[in-house]
Amino acid sequence: MKYIYLLLIIFSGTLLIGCGNNPAESPNQQEYNFIFQKQGLLDSIVGTCSSFLVRTIPLDTLDFTAYSKLRITMESFTDGDLSSVQIYRLVSDTIANIYYAEGLLGVNTQGPVMINSPKDRKMYFVRMKLFSSVCTGQYFHLKVRNLNIYGY
Protein backbone atom coordinates (compact mmCIF):
# COMPACT_ATOMS: atom_id res chain seq x y z
CA MET A 1 0.00 0.00 0.00
CA LYS A 2 2.90 2.30 0.81
CA TYR A 3 4.28 1.83 -2.71
CA ILE A 4 0.95 2.77 -4.28
CA TYR A 5 0.90 6.10 -2.41
CA LEU A 6 4.51 6.75 -3.40
CA LEU A 7 3.76 6.02 -7.08
CA LEU A 8 0.65 8.22 -6.91
CA ILE A 9 2.67 11.14 -5.50
CA ILE A 10 5.40 10.74 -8.14
CA PHE A 11 2.82 10.51 -10.94
CA SER A 12 0.93 13.59 -9.68
CA GLY A 13 4.15 15.58 -9.38
CA THR A 14 5.17 14.66 -12.91
CA LEU A 15 1.80 15.80 -14.24
CA LEU A 16 1.98 19.13 -12.42
CA ILE A 17 5.52 19.86 -13.55
CA GLY A 18 4.84 18.79 -17.15
CA CYS A 19 1.67 20.86 -17.55
CA GLY A 20 2.29 24.53 -18.18
CA ASN A 21 0.55 27.46 -19.78
CA ASN A 22 3.07 27.77 -22.63
CA PRO A 23 2.66 24.96 -25.17
CA ALA A 24 5.75 23.89 -27.03
CA GLU A 25 5.92 25.46 -30.47
CA SER A 26 7.83 24.22 -33.43
CA PRO A 27 10.41 26.76 -34.63
CA ASN A 28 9.29 26.13 -38.23
CA GLN A 29 5.60 26.65 -37.48
CA GLN A 30 4.19 29.39 -39.70
CA GLU A 31 1.22 31.62 -39.01
CA TYR A 32 -1.34 31.76 -41.78
CA ASN A 33 -4.05 34.39 -42.09
CA PHE A 34 -7.48 33.31 -43.19
CA ILE A 35 -8.40 34.82 -46.59
CA PHE A 36 -11.33 32.86 -48.05
CA GLN A 37 -13.62 30.01 -47.03
CA LYS A 38 -16.45 28.20 -48.80
CA GLN A 39 -17.77 25.48 -46.48
CA GLY A 40 -19.93 22.67 -47.75
CA LEU A 41 -20.35 21.55 -51.33
CA LEU A 42 -18.84 23.94 -53.87
CA ASP A 43 -20.18 21.88 -56.79
CA SER A 44 -20.78 18.32 -57.92
CA ILE A 45 -20.74 17.05 -61.51
CA VAL A 46 -22.03 13.67 -62.67
CA GLY A 47 -21.80 12.35 -66.22
CA THR A 48 -21.15 9.34 -68.44
CA CYS A 49 -17.95 8.48 -70.27
CA SER A 50 -19.13 10.29 -73.40
CA SER A 51 -19.51 13.54 -71.42
CA PHE A 52 -17.03 16.37 -71.17
CA LEU A 53 -18.60 18.61 -68.54
CA VAL A 54 -17.15 21.92 -67.40
CA ARG A 55 -18.38 24.13 -64.57
CA THR A 56 -16.99 27.51 -63.60
CA ILE A 57 -17.78 28.93 -60.18
CA PRO A 58 -16.93 32.56 -59.36
CA LEU A 59 -15.38 32.81 -55.90
CA ASP A 60 -14.86 36.46 -55.00
CA THR A 61 -12.42 39.31 -55.43
CA LEU A 62 -9.50 38.08 -53.33
CA ASP A 63 -6.65 40.27 -52.13
CA PHE A 64 -3.31 38.42 -52.08
CA THR A 65 -1.10 41.55 -52.22
CA ALA A 66 0.17 41.21 -48.63
CA TYR A 67 1.17 37.53 -48.86
CA SER A 68 4.18 35.73 -50.29
CA LYS A 69 2.72 32.21 -49.95
CA LEU A 70 -0.78 30.75 -50.08
CA ARG A 71 -2.07 27.57 -48.51
CA ILE A 72 -5.08 25.97 -50.20
CA THR A 73 -7.10 23.16 -48.68
CA MET A 74 -10.15 21.47 -50.14
CA GLU A 75 -11.83 18.11 -50.27
CA SER A 76 -12.14 16.88 -53.84
CA PHE A 77 -13.02 13.53 -55.40
CA THR A 78 -13.24 12.16 -58.91
CA ASP A 79 -13.32 8.78 -60.57
CA GLY A 80 -12.77 10.25 -64.04
CA ASP A 81 -9.08 9.84 -64.86
CA LEU A 82 -8.88 12.98 -67.03
CA SER A 83 -10.86 15.25 -64.70
CA SER A 84 -9.34 18.44 -63.30
CA VAL A 85 -9.86 21.22 -60.78
CA GLN A 86 -8.26 24.63 -61.17
CA ILE A 87 -8.33 27.96 -59.38
CA TYR A 88 -7.55 30.87 -61.66
CA ARG A 89 -7.88 34.56 -62.38
CA LEU A 90 -8.09 36.46 -65.66
CA VAL A 91 -5.09 38.54 -66.70
CA SER A 92 -5.64 40.46 -69.95
CA ASP A 93 -8.47 38.05 -70.85
CA THR A 94 -6.15 35.06 -70.41
CA ILE A 95 -6.51 32.37 -67.74
CA ALA A 96 -3.70 32.45 -65.17
CA ASN A 97 -3.80 29.40 -62.88
CA ILE A 98 -2.74 29.59 -59.27
CA TYR A 99 -3.80 25.98 -58.62
CA TYR A 100 -4.26 23.08 -61.02
CA ALA A 101 -4.89 19.41 -60.20
CA GLU A 102 -5.54 16.79 -62.86
CA GLY A 103 -6.29 13.08 -62.88
CA LEU A 104 -7.09 10.70 -60.07
CA LEU A 105 -3.93 11.38 -58.05
CA GLY A 106 -4.11 15.15 -58.40
CA VAL A 107 -7.81 15.67 -57.74
CA ASN A 108 -8.20 13.05 -55.00
CA THR A 109 -5.32 14.42 -52.91
CA GLN A 110 -6.69 15.75 -49.61
CA GLY A 111 -3.67 17.51 -48.11
CA PRO A 112 -2.94 21.25 -48.12
CA VAL A 113 -1.17 22.74 -51.14
CA MET A 114 1.44 25.49 -50.77
CA ILE A 115 1.89 27.90 -53.69
CA ASN A 116 3.54 31.25 -54.32
CA SER A 117 1.15 34.15 -54.03
CA PRO A 118 0.26 36.01 -57.24
CA LYS A 119 0.38 39.21 -55.11
CA ASP A 120 -2.66 40.77 -56.72
CA ARG A 121 -6.27 41.69 -56.03
CA LYS A 122 -8.52 40.13 -58.64
CA MET A 123 -11.67 38.09 -59.15
CA TYR A 124 -10.92 34.37 -58.79
CA PHE A 125 -12.77 31.37 -60.18
CA VAL A 126 -12.84 27.60 -59.72
CA ARG A 127 -13.17 25.51 -62.87
CA MET A 128 -14.11 21.83 -62.64
CA LYS A 129 -13.79 19.52 -65.65
CA LEU A 130 -15.26 16.01 -65.62
CA PHE A 131 -13.89 13.64 -68.23
CA SER A 132 -12.84 9.99 -68.43
CA SER A 133 -10.84 8.04 -70.98
CA VAL A 134 -12.52 4.76 -70.04
CA CYS A 135 -16.11 3.89 -70.87
CA THR A 136 -17.55 1.49 -68.30
CA GLY A 137 -21.22 2.35 -68.68
CA GLN A 138 -21.19 3.79 -65.15
CA TYR A 139 -21.58 7.40 -64.09
CA PHE A 140 -18.46 9.41 -63.25
CA HIS A 141 -18.30 12.01 -60.48
CA LEU A 142 -16.36 15.15 -59.61
CA LYS A 143 -17.01 16.88 -56.28
CA VAL A 144 -15.32 19.78 -54.54
CA ARG A 145 -16.14 20.87 -51.01
CA ASN A 146 -14.75 22.86 -48.07
CA LEU A 147 -12.41 25.24 -49.92
CA ASN A 148 -10.11 27.27 -47.66
CA ILE A 149 -7.39 29.74 -48.66
CA TYR A 150 -4.84 31.10 -46.19
CA GLY A 151 -2.03 33.62 -46.74
CA TYR A 152 1.45 33.76 -45.27
Side-chain angles (χ1 to χ4, degrees):
M1 190 71 158
K2 185 162 106 177
Y3 293 111
I4 292 175
Y5 286 126
L6 181 62
L7 287 175
L8 185 60
I9 291 171
I10 292 173
F11 180 71
S12 299
T14 305
L15 280 178
L16 290 175
I17 292 171
C19 295
N21 291 334
N22 298 326
E25 291 186 18
S26 169
N28 294 330
Q29 188 176 16
Q30 299 175 345
E31 290 251 350
Y32 289 93
N33 295 322
F34 169 77
I35 297 174
F36 178 81
Q37 179 179 44
K38 175 69 174 166
Q39 289 295 46
L41 187 65
L42 192 66
D43 207 345
S44 175
I45 306 174
V46 178
T48 62
C49 62
S50 60
S51 302
F52 182 80
L53 300 173
V54 178
R55 296 257 174 88
T56 301
I57 301 113
L59 292 180
D60 202 351
T61 299
L62 302 176
D63 188 0
F64 297 136
T65 55
Y67 305 104
S68 61
K69 296 276 187 192
L70 299 177
R71 181 175 156 220
I72 299 172
T73 62
M74 72 176 85
E75 297 171 24
S76 54
F77 168 78
T78 188
D79 50 2
D81 61 336
L82 298 177
S83 297
S84 65
V85 175
Q86 67 188 103
I87 300 174
Y88 69 94
R89 68 198 188 281
L90 295 175
V91 178
S92 301
D93 295 330
T94 304
I95 290 177
N97 289 330
I98 65 164
Y99 173 82
Y100 185 81
E102 182 178 29
L104 298 175
L105 287 176
V107 174
N108 292 337
T109 302
Q110 299 296 318
V113 176
M114 299 292 299
I115 59 170
N116 290 326
S117 173
K119 293 190 177 258
D120 62 6
R121 184 179 191 274
K122 295 209 177 273
M123 181 69 176
Y124 280 81
F125 304 87
V126 172
R127 178 168 290 161
M128 301 168 51
K129 296 178 185 176
L130 175 66
F131 189 55
S132 179
S133 64
V134 180
C135 194
T136 62
Q138 302 293 324
Y139 285 104
F140 292 96
H141 306 84
L142 175 58
K143 297 177 185 179
V144 175
R145 59 187 315 119
N146 300 330
L147 174 64
N148 297 297
I149 302 175
Y150 303 89
Y152 171 71

PDB file of all heavy atoms in Angstrom, residues 89-113:
ATOM      1  N   ARG A  89      -7.431  33.185 -62.214  1.00  0.00           N
ATOM      2  CA  ARG A  89      -7.879  34.562 -62.381  1.00  0.00           C
ATOM      3  C   ARG A  89      -7.666  34.929 -63.841  1.00  0.00           C
ATOM      4  O   ARG A  89      -6.944  34.235 -64.564  1.00  0.00           O
ATOM      5  CB  ARG A  89      -7.097  35.503 -61.473  1.00  0.00           C
ATOM      6  CG  ARG A  89      -5.635  35.625 -61.880  1.00  0.00           C
ATOM      7  CD  ARG A  89      -4.806  36.185 -60.757  1.00  0.00           C
ATOM      8  NE  ARG A  89      -3.447  36.491 -61.127  1.00  0.00           N
ATOM      9  CZ  ARG A  89      -2.458  35.624 -61.254  1.00  0.00           C
ATOM     10  NH1 ARG A  89      -2.684  34.345 -61.082  1.00  0.00           N
ATOM     11  NH2 ARG A  89      -1.246  36.013 -61.547  1.00  0.00           N
ATOM     12  N   LEU A  90      -8.281  35.994 -64.286  1.00  0.00           N
ATOM     13  CA  LEU A  90      -8.095  36.461 -65.655  1.00  0.00           C
ATOM     14  C   LEU A  90      -7.101  37.614 -65.661  1.00  0.00           C
ATOM     15  O   LEU A  90      -7.249  38.570 -64.909  1.00  0.00           O
ATOM     16  CB  LEU A  90      -9.419  36.919 -66.262  1.00  0.00           C
ATOM     17  CG  LEU A  90     -10.457  35.813 -66.446  1.00  0.00           C
ATOM     18  CD1 LEU A  90     -11.766  36.409 -66.930  1.00  0.00           C
ATOM     19  CD2 LEU A  90      -9.962  34.753 -67.402  1.00  0.00           C
ATOM     20  N   VAL A  91      -6.094  37.499 -66.515  1.00  0.00           N
ATOM     21  CA  VAL A  91      -5.095  38.542 -66.700  1.00  0.00           C
ATOM     22  C   VAL A  91      -5.082  38.865 -68.185  1.00  0.00           C
ATOM     23  O   VAL A  91      -4.692  38.011 -69.002  1.00  0.00           O
ATOM     24  CB  VAL A  91      -3.695  38.088 -66.217  1.00  0.00           C
ATOM     25  CG1 VAL A  91      -2.669  39.169 -66.478  1.00  0.00           C
ATOM     26  CG2 VAL A  91      -3.735  37.708 -64.757  1.00  0.00           C
ATOM     27  N   SER A  92      -5.528  40.045 -68.540  1.00  0.00           N
ATOM     28  CA  SER A  92      -5.641  40.458 -69.949  1.00  0.00           C
ATOM     29  C   SER A  92      -6.444  39.435 -70.750  1.00  0.00           C
ATOM     30  O   SER A  92      -6.021  39.001 -71.822  1.00  0.00           O
ATOM     31  CB  SER A  92      -4.259  40.656 -70.573  1.00  0.00           C
ATOM     32  OG  SER A  92      -3.540  41.618 -69.867  1.00  0.00           O
ATOM     33  N   ASP A  93      -7.565  39.024 -70.215  1.00  0.00           N
ATOM     34  CA  ASP A  93      -8.473  38.054 -70.851  1.00  0.00           C
ATOM     35  C   ASP A  93      -7.843  36.684 -71.089  1.00  0.00           C
ATOM     36  O   ASP A  93      -8.276  35.936 -71.956  1.00  0.00           O
ATOM     37  CB  ASP A  93      -9.024  38.597 -72.168  1.00  0.00           C
ATOM     38  CG  ASP A  93      -9.902  39.811 -71.945  1.00  0.00           C
ATOM     39  OD1 ASP A  93     -10.515  39.884 -70.869  1.00  0.00           O
ATOM     40  OD2 ASP A  93      -9.975  40.669 -72.838  1.00  0.00           O
ATOM     41  N   THR A  94      -6.812  36.359 -70.334  1.00  0.00           N
ATOM     42  CA  THR A  94      -6.150  35.058 -70.414  1.00  0.00           C
ATOM     43  C   THR A  94      -6.198  34.412 -69.046  1.00  0.00           C
ATOM     44  O   THR A  94      -5.986  35.071 -68.025  1.00  0.00           O
ATOM     45  CB  THR A  94      -4.685  35.209 -70.860  1.00  0.00           C
ATOM     46  OG1 THR A  94      -4.662  35.900 -72.111  1.00  0.00           O
ATOM     47  CG2 THR A  94      -4.009  33.866 -71.012  1.00  0.00           C
ATOM     48  N   ILE A  95      -6.457  33.096 -69.008  1.00  0.00           N
ATOM     49  CA  ILE A  95      -6.506  32.371 -67.741  1.00  0.00           C
ATOM     50  C   ILE A  95      -5.104  32.228 -67.167  1.00  0.00           C
ATOM     51  O   ILE A  95      -4.182  31.783 -67.858  1.00  0.00           O
ATOM     52  CB  ILE A  95      -7.139  30.984 -67.939  1.00  0.00           C
ATOM     53  CG1 ILE A  95      -8.624  31.133 -68.228  1.00  0.00           C
ATOM     54  CG2 ILE A  95      -6.920  30.105 -66.722  1.00  0.00           C
ATOM     55  CD1 ILE A  95      -9.328  29.830 -68.507  1.00  0.00           C
ATOM     56  N   ALA A  96      -4.967  32.611 -65.898  1.00  0.00           N
ATOM     57  CA  ALA A  96      -3.702  32.451 -65.168  1.00  0.00           C
ATOM     58  C   ALA A  96      -3.990  31.587 -63.946  1.00  0.00           C
ATOM     59  O   ALA A  96      -4.612  32.050 -62.991  1.00  0.00           O
ATOM     60  CB  ALA A  96      -3.133  33.801 -64.769  1.00  0.00           C
ATOM     61  N   ASN A  97      -3.558  30.335 -63.981  1.00  0.00           N
ATOM     62  CA  ASN A  97      -3.801  29.396 -62.880  1.00  0.00           C
ATOM     63  C   ASN A  97      -2.947  29.732 -61.679  1.00  0.00           C
ATOM     64  O   ASN A  97      -1.775  30.065 -61.807  1.00  0.00           O
ATOM     65  CB  ASN A  97      -3.463  27.965 -63.306  1.00  0.00           C
ATOM     66  CG  ASN A  97      -4.458  27.399 -64.287  1.00  0.00           C
ATOM     67  OD1 ASN A  97      -5.627  27.756 -64.277  1.00  0.00           O
ATOM     68  ND2 ASN A  97      -3.997  26.512 -65.147  1.00  0.00           N
ATOM     69  N   ILE A  98      -3.553  29.594 -60.493  1.00  0.00           N
ATOM     70  CA  ILE A  98      -2.741  29.587 -59.275  1.00  0.00           C
ATOM     71  C   ILE A  98      -2.748  28.187 -58.668  1.00  0.00           C
ATOM     72  O   ILE A  98      -1.909  27.864 -57.852  1.00  0.00           O
ATOM     73  CB  ILE A  98      -3.199  30.638 -58.244  1.00  0.00           C
ATOM     74  CG1 ILE A  98      -4.594  30.337 -57.714  1.00  0.00           C
ATOM     75  CG2 ILE A  98      -3.100  32.027 -58.804  1.00  0.00           C
ATOM     76  CD1 ILE A  98      -4.940  31.099 -56.454  1.00  0.00           C
ATOM     77  N   TYR A  99      -3.712  27.368 -59.083  1.00  0.00           N
ATOM     78  CA  TYR A  99      -3.798  25.978 -58.616  1.00  0.00           C
ATOM     79  C   TYR A  99      -4.371  25.146 -59.746  1.00  0.00           C
ATOM     80  O   TYR A  99      -5.336  25.538 -60.391  1.00  0.00           O
ATOM     81  CB  TYR A  99      -4.710  25.891 -57.386  1.00  0.00           C
ATOM     82  CG  TYR A  99      -4.992  24.475 -56.939  1.00  0.00           C
ATOM     83  CD1 TYR A  99      -4.078  23.786 -56.156  1.00  0.00           C
ATOM     84  CD2 TYR A  99      -6.155  23.823 -57.308  1.00  0.00           C
ATOM     85  CE1 TYR A  99      -4.327  22.494 -55.743  1.00  0.00           C
ATOM     86  CE2 TYR A  99      -6.412  22.529 -56.902  1.00  0.00           C
ATOM     87  CZ  TYR A  99      -5.496  21.864 -56.132  1.00  0.00           C
ATOM     88  OH  TYR A  99      -5.744  20.578 -55.735  1.00  0.00           O
ATOM     89  N   TYR A 100      -3.758  23.979 -59.994  1.00  0.00           N
ATOM     90  CA  TYR A 100      -4.261  23.075 -61.019  1.00  0.00           C
ATOM     91  C   TYR A 100      -3.979  21.638 -60.587  1.00  0.00           C
ATOM     92  O   TYR A 100      -2.841  21.289 -60.282  1.00  0.00           O
ATOM     93  CB  TYR A 100      -3.583  23.351 -62.370  1.00  0.00           C
ATOM     94  CG  TYR A 100      -4.151  22.523 -63.492  1.00  0.00           C
ATOM     95  CD1 TYR A 100      -5.333  22.899 -64.115  1.00  0.00           C
ATOM     96  CD2 TYR A 100      -3.517  21.372 -63.927  1.00  0.00           C
ATOM     97  CE1 TYR A 100      -5.871  22.146 -65.144  1.00  0.00           C
ATOM     98  CE2 TYR A 100      -4.042  20.618 -64.954  1.00  0.00           C
ATOM     99  CZ  TYR A 100      -5.224  21.006 -65.562  1.00  0.00           C
ATOM    100  OH  TYR A 100      -5.763  20.255 -66.582  1.00  0.00           O
ATOM    101  N   ALA A 101      -5.028  20.833 -60.547  1.00  0.00           N
ATOM    102  CA  ALA A 101      -4.894  19.410 -60.204  1.00  0.00           C
ATOM    103  C   ALA A 101      -5.626  18.610 -61.273  1.00  0.00           C
ATOM    104  O   ALA A 101      -6.767  18.921 -61.615  1.00  0.00           O
ATOM    105  CB  ALA A 101      -5.483  19.126 -58.840  1.00  0.00           C
ATOM    106  N   GLU A 102      -4.959  17.574 -61.786  1.00  0.00           N
ATOM    107  CA  GLU A 102      -5.543  16.786 -62.862  1.00  0.00           C
ATOM    108  C   GLU A 102      -5.385  15.296 -62.567  1.00  0.00           C
ATOM    109  O   GLU A 102      -4.404  14.871 -61.960  1.00  0.00           O
ATOM    110  CB  GLU A 102      -4.853  17.113 -64.180  1.00  0.00           C
ATOM    111  CG  GLU A 102      -5.436  16.378 -65.368  1.00  0.00           C
ATOM    112  CD  GLU A 102      -4.761  16.764 -66.669  1.00  0.00           C
ATOM    113  OE1 GLU A 102      -3.585  17.127 -66.645  1.00  0.00           O
ATOM    114  OE2 GLU A 102      -5.422  16.691 -67.706  1.00  0.00           O
ATOM    115  N   GLY A 103      -6.358  14.528 -63.007  1.00  0.00           N
ATOM    116  CA  GLY A 103      -6.290  13.077 -62.878  1.00  0.00           C
ATOM    117  C   GLY A 103      -6.674  12.603 -61.496  1.00  0.00           C
ATOM    118  O   GLY A 103      -6.960  13.387 -60.594  1.00  0.00           O
ATOM    119  N   LEU A 104      -6.668  11.291 -61.343  1.00  0.00           N
ATOM    120  CA  LEU A 104      -7.085  10.698 -60.069  1.00  0.00           C
ATOM    121  C   LEU A 104      -6.176  11.095 -58.917  1.00  0.00           C
ATOM    122  O   LEU A 104      -6.645  11.454 -57.835  1.00  0.00           O
ATOM    123  CB  LEU A 104      -7.139   9.176 -60.200  1.00  0.00           C
ATOM    124  CG  LEU A 104      -8.139   8.627 -61.230  1.00  0.00           C
ATOM    125  CD1 LEU A 104      -8.008   7.122 -61.346  1.00  0.00           C
ATOM    126  CD2 LEU A 104      -9.553   9.022 -60.875  1.00  0.00           C
ATOM    127  N   LEU A 105      -4.864  11.048 -59.139  1.00  0.00           N
ATOM    128  CA  LEU A 105      -3.933  11.378 -58.055  1.00  0.00           C
ATOM    129  C   LEU A 105      -3.973  12.856 -57.695  1.00  0.00           C
ATOM    130  O   LEU A 105      -3.892  13.213 -56.529  1.00  0.00           O
ATOM    131  CB  LEU A 105      -2.512  10.972 -58.429  1.00  0.00           C
ATOM    132  CG  LEU A 105      -2.233   9.475 -58.413  1.00  0.00           C
ATOM    133  CD1 LEU A 105      -0.829   9.185 -58.905  1.00  0.00           C
ATOM    134  CD2 LEU A 105      -2.431   8.905 -57.029  1.00  0.00           C
ATOM    135  N   GLY A 106      -4.093  13.716 -58.677  1.00  0.00           N
ATOM    136  CA  GLY A 106      -4.106  15.148 -58.405  1.00  0.00           C
ATOM    137  C   GLY A 106      -5.379  15.618 -57.734  1.00  0.00           C
ATOM    138  O   GLY A 106      -5.353  16.342 -56.745  1.00  0.00           O
ATOM    139  N   VAL A 107      -6.524  15.197 -58.258  1.00  0.00           N
ATOM    140  CA  VAL A 107      -7.809  15.674 -57.738  1.00  0.00           C
ATOM    141  C   VAL A 107      -8.140  15.026 -56.400  1.00  0.00           C
ATOM    142  O   VAL A 107      -8.677  15.678 -55.509  1.00  0.00           O
ATOM    143  CB  VAL A 107      -8.935  15.423 -58.769  1.00  0.00           C
ATOM    144  CG1 VAL A 107     -10.292  15.772 -58.185  1.00  0.00           C
ATOM    145  CG2 VAL A 107      -8.678  16.217 -60.038  1.00  0.00           C
ATOM    146  N   ASN A 108      -7.817  13.755 -56.224  1.00  0.00           N
ATOM    147  CA  ASN A 108      -8.196  13.046 -54.999  1.00  0.00           C
ATOM    148  C   ASN A 108      -7.243  13.282 -53.835  1.00  0.00           C
ATOM    149  O   ASN A 108      -7.437  12.729 -52.763  1.00  0.00           O
ATOM    150  CB  ASN A 108      -8.307  11.546 -55.273  1.00  0.00           C
ATOM    151  CG  ASN A 108      -9.473  11.230 -56.183  1.00  0.00           C
ATOM    152  OD1 ASN A 108     -10.427  11.980 -56.290  1.00  0.00           O
ATOM    153  ND2 ASN A 108      -9.395  10.110 -56.868  1.00  0.00           N
ATOM    154  N   THR A 109      -6.225  14.097 -53.991  1.00  0.00           N
ATOM    155  CA  THR A 109      -5.315  14.419 -52.908  1.00  0.00           C
ATOM    156  C   THR A 109      -6.015  15.335 -51.917  1.00  0.00           C
ATOM    157  O   THR A 109      -6.608  16.334 -52.301  1.00  0.00           O
ATOM    158  CB  THR A 109      -4.049  15.111 -53.460  1.00  0.00           C
ATOM    159  OG1 THR A 109      -3.437  14.232 -54.403  1.00  0.00           O
ATOM    160  CG2 THR A 109      -3.075  15.431 -52.357  1.00  0.00           C
ATOM    161  N   GLN A 110      -5.952  15.014 -50.634  1.00  0.00           N
ATOM    162  CA  GLN A 110      -6.693  15.748 -49.615  1.00  0.00           C
ATOM    163  C   GLN A 110      -5.841  16.722 -48.806  1.00  0.00           C
ATOM    164  O   GLN A 110      -6.371  17.497 -48.038  1.00  0.00           O
ATOM    165  CB  GLN A 110      -7.366  14.764 -48.655  1.00  0.00           C
ATOM    166  CG  GLN A 110      -8.352  13.845 -49.317  1.00  0.00           C
ATOM    167  CD  GLN A 110      -9.546  14.574 -49.916  1.00  0.00           C
ATOM    168  OE1 GLN A 110     -10.082  15.480 -49.315  1.00  0.00           O
ATOM    169  NE2 GLN A 110      -9.949  14.180 -51.102  1.00  0.00           N
ATOM    170  N   GLY A 111      -4.537  16.679 -48.946  1.00  0.00           N
ATOM    171  CA  GLY A 111      -3.674  17.514 -48.106  1.00  0.00           C
ATOM    172  C   GLY A 111      -3.615  18.952 -48.573  1.00  0.00           C
ATOM    173  O   GLY A 111      -4.042  19.294 -49.672  1.00  0.00           O
ATOM    174  N   PRO A 112      -3.077  19.841 -47.729  1.00  0.00           N
ATOM    175  CA  PRO A 112      -2.941  21.246 -48.125  1.00  0.00           C
ATOM    176  C   PRO A 112      -1.894  21.421 -49.210  1.00  0.00           C
ATOM    177  O   PRO A 112      -0.926  20.661 -49.293  1.00  0.00           O
ATOM    178  CB  PRO A 112      -2.513  21.943 -46.837  1.00  0.00           C
ATOM    179  CG  PRO A 112      -1.947  20.881 -45.974  1.00  0.00           C
ATOM    180  CD  PRO A 112      -2.610  19.598 -46.374  1.00  0.00           C
ATOM    181  N   VAL A 113      -2.089  22.430 -50.049  1.00  0.00           N
ATOM    182  CA  VAL A 113      -1.171  22.742 -51.140  1.00  0.00           C
ATOM    183  C   VAL A 113      -0.584  24.115 -50.872  1.00  0.00           C
ATOM    184  O   VAL A 113      -1.310  25.065 -50.579  1.00  0.00           O
ATOM    185  CB  VAL A 113      -1.913  22.735 -52.494  1.00  0.00           C
ATOM    186  CG1 VAL A 113      -0.993  23.155 -53.617  1.00  0.00           C
ATOM    187  CG2 VAL A 113      -2.511  21.375 -52.765  1.00  0.00           C
TER     188      VAL A 113
END
